[in-house]
Amino acid sequence: MNGPPPGSKPRPGPRPWLLLVDDEPDFLKGLVRFFAARGLGPATASDGGEALALLEGGGFEVVVSDVMMPVMGGLELTRRIKELEPEIEVILITGGANVGDGVAGIKSGAYDYLSKPLEPEHLLGKVTQAREKLATARELRRQVEFRARVEKQLEAAQRLAALGTLASGVAHEINNPLAVIRQTAQWMDLVLSKPEMEGFPRRGELQEALAKIFASVQRAAGITHQLLGFARQDPPRAVEIGLDRLVRESMGLVEQEARTRGVELRLIPGGEGETVWADPGRFRQILINLLTNALQASRSGQTVEVTAGTKGGEVVVEVRDWGPGIPGEDLDRLFEPFFTTKPQGQGTGLGLFVSQNLADKLGGRIEVESRLGGGARFTLRLPNRPPAEPAPLGGHEDRLNRAAATFVPQSPKE
Ligand SMILES: Nc1ncnc2c1ncn2[C@@H]1O[C@H](COP(=O)(O)OP(=O)(O)OP(=O)(O)O)[C@@H](O)[C@H]1O
Ligand SMILES: [Mg+2]
């Protein structure tokens, strides 16, 4: 069987990783026959330019090239290959008396050189060694990358734990002065509203100023509430509770917001009468965040739909809106802390981060489906499980904790 003519494109089948380059067709044919008989099926090129064109296609690991070729010789080809893809190993074939060419080849980055007359078995040995060297280098790089990835995850886990401690400390500290500000402002409001204050100069302006204080205190309290929920140390507790009641309670808490925005909040019938196991406090906090986002994304006259039920051992709640939707590039970032697209002063970017974290601690997750112009659907999935059954490991946080506890980078499996 003859090998493919010089310059031929590789035949269909496994992609060749070996490229033979020589301007002597008979010599090339002989080598192709030798390698093909050993199941290697190399690609071939009759000069440097042709070889580079083939290499552009990728997938090659070892190039065997003659040094003496017209137009572009083996030394120049080696230099160009190393520029194009430094990983590819090059073995040069020099004329019998030209040891200097071989040395120059090594300087240009060649793996090794052999002199003519060539012993094909010897060449096969070199090709195999060169390929093994490449495999070892790749394996090493994979390990380094794997280690860097694990270290990054570990760092993220530690940062998150530190953030939790810090957040709860700050939130507690801020809650006290907030309460004082609120009470004092309430007292001032009360005094200003008394009949004897009727003619008090600039009374209206003072009341407006107090309204601003109330709104800001409300916002700051919202942030500390999120942070405290995120940093909660008490273990999740599951109680048996009516799903319908739980969902309606959460919807009730955002009803005012819905009314102010002129958005209809609708619970789609379906889950009535179902009893589930849930941690009501955490469940409510997650659902309120999802509902608030949906309401904030909706225009007046639109509807936000909620469905709740159980499926395959899980409590599944969906919040669907017909707002502007979420662009693809934002989808990956939604759950990052402080990611917000809302104007300054309106969004802190903590809602989804905290919610995903809470869902994670409960052994569940939040999924999102959305596209620009098509609204958004957020799905909360939580295990429907009595407290006696421990949550199986597998949540995001568990994975990070286990990575932290067993930080022994192993060879990644492909
Ligand atoms: N239903 C939705 N429709 C469109 N975009 C959404 C929706 N829900 C979330 N987003 C996007 O995700 C971002 C992050 O949401 P997240 O709830 O974490 O923070 P936020 O709402 O901006 O601020 P916070 O909830 O802390 O007040 C939002 O700023 C918004 O860009
Ligand atoms: Mg939000």
Side-chain angles (χ1 to χ4, degrees):
M1 187 188 88
N2 285 338
S8 65
K9 290 261 182 301
R11 284 168 303 179
R15 263 180 99 96
W17 52 265
L18 176 62
L19 174 62
L20 305 177
V21 193
D22 204 307
D23 59 325
E24 288 174 41
D26 289 341
F27 182 73
L28 202 53
K29 260 188 216 163
L31 277 186
V32 167
R33 219 174 294 135
F34 171 81
F35 280 111
R38 281 148 189 83
L40 294 186
T44 59
S46 58
D47 65 55
E50 217 171 323
L52 286 174
L54 277 176
L55 291 172
E56 293 272 5
F60 288 97
E61 297 178 1
V62 183
V63 175
V64 175
S65 172
D66 194 7
V67 170
M68 294 294 292
M69 290 185 296
V71 192
M72 189 193 300
L75 294 181
E76 173 64 10
L77 176 62
T78 305
R79 269 191 293 274
R80 299 275 286 269
I81 289 175
K82 289 287 158 182
E83 271 169 29
L84 177 77
E85 185 49 82
E87 263 199 347
I88 295 178
E89 297 295 356
V90 182
I91 297 168
L92 291 171
I93 301 171
T94 64
N98 283 335
V99 177
D101 279 350
V103 176
I106 302 271
K107 280 190 185 150
S108 306
Y111 171 72
D112 207 347
Y113 68 92
L114 293 174
S115 304
K116 285 180 182 170
L118 200 63
E119 186 55 64
E121 287 293 346
H122 195 182
L123 177 60
L124 178 63
K126 288 278 177 231
V127 167
T128 310
Q129 278 170 14
R131 196 178 190 212
E132 277 167 8
K133 180 184 168 210
L134 180 67
T136 310
R138 280 186 180 162
E139 178 59 25
L140 209 70
R141 204 182 52 212
R142 257 204 303 276
Q143 295 221 9
V144 168
E145 283 168 4
F146 174 72
R147 197 189 174 99
R149 225 174 25 242
V150 173
E151 276 172 2
K152 221 167 134 191
Q153 285 182 346
L154 193 67
E155 219 176 86
Q158 286 167 343
R159 260 209 316 267
L160 221 60
L163 182 67
T165 313
L166 183 75
S168 80
V170 170
H172 275 297
E173 288 304 318
I174 287 179
N175 269 350
N176 294 334
L178 272 186
V180 176
I181 295 171
R182 185 189 277 125
Q183 280 160 15
T184 313
Q186 274 167 348
W187 173 76
M188 288 164 75
D189 198 37
L190 194 77
V191 171
L192 281 175
S193 59
K194 294 221 186 265
E196 66 262 31
M197 299 297 279
E198 197 91 354
F200 192 71
R202 307 178 76 175
R203 183 194 192 208
E205 284 172 64
L206 286 169
Q207 280 170 325
E208 271 172 34
L210 283 174
K212 279 190 194 150
I213 292 179
F214 286 132
S216 296
V217 166
Q218 196 60 29
R219 180 171 150 70
I223 296 172
T224 57
H225 175 73
Q226 293 281 23
L227 291 177
L228 285 172
F230 161 68
R232 272 173 81 159
Q233 295 298 328
D234 59 311
R237 63 190 183 104
V239 298
E240 213 171 1
I241 191 167
L243 179 59
D244 195 59
R245 187 185 125 196
L246 196 56
V247 173
R248 279 184 194 282
E249 264 173 20
S250 309
M251 290 173 69
L253 292 168
V254 295
E255 214 171 73
Q256 182 57 40
E257 169 104 22
R259 219 172 296 131
T260 313
R261 293 179 176 273
V263 178
E264 189 196 347
L265 199 53
R266 188 190 301 158
L267 178 61
I268 304 293
E272 302 86 355
E274 277 199 90
T275 305
V276 297
W277 290 98
D279 179 321
R282 289 176 165 94
F283 185 99
R284 264 195 299 269
Q285 185 168 1
I286 299 173
L287 197 50
I288 288 168
N289 279 327
L290 299 183
L291 290 169
T292 306
N293 281 347
L295 290 173
Q296 289 173 343
S298 304
R299 282 192 316 277
S300 175
Q302 287 188 317
T303 303
V304 167
E305 278 184 5
V306 182
T307 48
T310 53
K311 203 174 170 190
E314 284 183 325
V315 182
V316 183
V317 183
E318 276 182 15
V319 177
R320 171 85 170 98
D321 70 68
W322 281 266
I326 301 161
E329 68 266 23
D330 287 353
L331 276 177
D332 290 340
R333 307 195 51 205
L334 291 188
F335 299 98
E336 285 177 13
F338 307 112
F339 175 79
T340 181
T341 58
K342 291 171 189 167
Q344 203 172 10
Q346 284 185 31
T348 54
L350 282 175
L352 287 178
F353 167 69
V354 169
S355 300
Q356 185 68 288
N357 211 267
L358 288 173
D360 205 54
K361 281 187 183 137
L362 296 169
R365 64 195 178 283
I366 297 170
E367 294 161 353
V368 52
E369 284 167 68
S370 180
R371 59 192 165 74
L372 212 52
R377 183 199 312 270
F378 282 79
T379 308
L380 168 65
R381 294 178 191 278
L382 295 173
N384 185 9
R385 209 175 19 223
E389 285 180 45
L393 289 176
H396 172 66
E397 198 141 279
D398 282 329
R399 279 197 301 278
L400 289 177
N401 285 341
R402 274 184 296 162
T406 59
F407 181 47
V408 183
Q410 290 148 10
S411 152
K413 292 199 176 67
E414 285 273 46

